[in-house]
Amino acid sequence: MTIDRDRIERGGFILFLALITIGLVAVVSGFLVAMLWAALAAILFRALFHWLLDRTGGRRNLAAGLTMLIITFAVVVPTLLIGSMVVDQASGVYLKMRSGQIDFAQYFQQVRDALPTRLRQAMDNWGVGSIEGLQARISRTLSSSVSQIASQALSIGRNAFAFALAFGVGLYVAFFLIRDGDRLGPAFVRALPLDQGVAARLVDTFVAVVRATIKGSVIVGLVQGALGAITFWIVGVPAALLWGVLMAIAALLPAIGPAIIWGPVAIYLLATGAVWQGAVVVASGVLVIGLADNLLRPILVGRDTGLPDWIVLLTTLGGIDLLGLSGIVVGPVVAALFLAGWRILSEERGVVPGEGEAAA
């Protein structure tokens, strides 16, 4: 009888925890994205906080405040400034498309007319030469991409107060996560209803993938996007900053990369007689933008996270589709935790050797 009562009480307590957790998530649901980025900032700038902590005599509030100050002026302010310029350029391109000043279908027609006769015949045989349908698809795709950026910008403008509130909450939470992360992290691991060894491995996987994704993907993508924007500005391509941002986003996709942006631009420039501009774009794309990933990723990441490129591609695209910008990090993290969880389960069942056994 006592055993049954203990089970009922324990089951009731677990039910209470589940319901109150769901309730808490519902209450803070409007700030989940801000809290996510606050946690990512705490993970990424942990080393900076400890460096400042050593130089401030162990004063955690001062070290955390200085860390937030550096984050604000080194990351937040430049991001807002660049974002405002991108919004202006995206809105300008969108208005020009609406008025007919920019016609991507016409650009495609110019490229096709400049191609050799045999290549145009081959395109006709492949169905690519069916200009009307293909032009319409290209125009719709590109127009949709730019118009989505413009609509997001207008949405932020209409909800400026909500955006500012969420932004402030994110900075506020980030301060406490940075200051108290050494205490909150182990407490969180101990509270997980898992074996402590399993919980520690999952948390280590989470932290490693977050750092690798931000350092090895986001930072490299920003560098490649900046190089692409500079290249486009040199050759006189309109809205160079906007195309640079699109290249930074494309750089997050393995096996595709920024070439999906600068490649068509180079083809258009060469096909329309802008030979030196097209040559500069190709040279920069291959020798500068393309090599930035190979040079910077090993330095920033240090070691591979163990995720195959095709999984990173699928989860990054799926994450962006589901969560927007946050999906860039959330997608690969979910995939890494999925693989780590199943590997731990397989090891416990004796299906695959553990890491220690494999190393032996």
Side-chain angles (χ1 to χ4, degrees), residues 13 19 23 30 76 102 115 129 137 181 194 197 207-208 231 264 266 272 281 292 309 331 337 341:
F13 182 63
L19 292 176
V76 175
I102 294 179
L115 294 175
R137 287 196 296 271
L194 298 170
V207 173
T231 301
T272 54
V281 171
D309 284 347
L337 292 177

Side-chain angles (χ1 to χ4, degrees), residues 118-133:
R118 289 186 178 180
L119 188 54
R120 290 203 304 270
Q121 292 175 349
M123 291 176 63
D124 293 336
N125 294 332
W126 296 336
V128 182
S130 179
I131 299 301
E132 293 77 8

Side-chain angles (χ1 to χ4, degrees), residues 215-269:
K215 289 183 179 180
S217 297
V218 175
I219 294 179
V220 173
L222 291 175
V223 171
Q224 290 182 303
L227 293 173
I230 293 172
T231 301
F232 281 6
W233 175 75
I234 291 174
V235 300
V237 174
L241 184 59
L242 172 62
W243 299 116
V245 170
L246 294 178
M247 269 191 276
I249 296 174
L252 301 172
L253 307 177
I256 300 176
I260 196 174
I261 303 296
W262 64 257
V265 173
I267 293 174
Y268 171 77
L269 292 173

Side-chain angles (χ1 to χ4, degrees), residues 132-270:
E132 293 77 8
L134 186 59
Q135 283 179 334
R137 287 196 296 271
I138 292 176
S139 182
R140 282 197 304 268
T141 301
L142 294 176
S143 300
S144 174
S145 299
V146 178
S147 62
Q148 282 183 8
I149 295 176
S151 63
Q152 288 294 328
L154 295 175
S155 176
I156 292 175
R158 287 193 300 267
N159 301 282
F161 177 76
F163 175 77
L165 180 61
F167 188 76
V169 169
L171 291 178
Y172 184 74
V173 173
F175 171 83
F176 289 101
L177 291 179
I178 290 173
R179 189 193 67 178
D180 303 326
D182 295 337
R183 177 177 57 85
L184 295 176
F188 174 77
V189 174
R190 290 193 300 269
L192 289 175
L194 298 170
D195 178 84
Q196 290 302 292
V198 172
R201 288 180 61 180
L202 292 177
V203 171
D204 289 343
T205 299
F206 170 79
V207 173
V209 173
V210 165
R211 287 176 175 167
T213 301
I214 295 178
K215 289 183 179 180
S217 297
V218 175
I219 294 179
V220 173
L222 291 175
V223 171
Q224 290 182 303
L227 293 173
I230 293 172
T231 301
F232 281 6
W233 175 75
I234 291 174
V235 300
V237 174
L241 184 59
L242 172 62
W243 299 116
V245 170
L246 294 178
M247 269 191 276
I249 296 174
L252 301 172
L253 307 177
I256 300 176
I260 196 174
I261 303 296
W262 64 257
V265 173
I267 293 174
Y268 171 77
L269 292 173
L270 293 172

Side-chain angles (χ1 to χ4, degrees), residues 12-38:
F13 182 63
I14 292 175
L15 178 61
F16 165 77
L17 287 179
L19 292 176
I20 203 65
T21 301
I22 294 173
L24 178 63
V25 171
V27 169
V28 301
S29 60
F31 303 104
L32 287 179
V33 174
M35 294 172 65
L36 169 65
W37 283 101

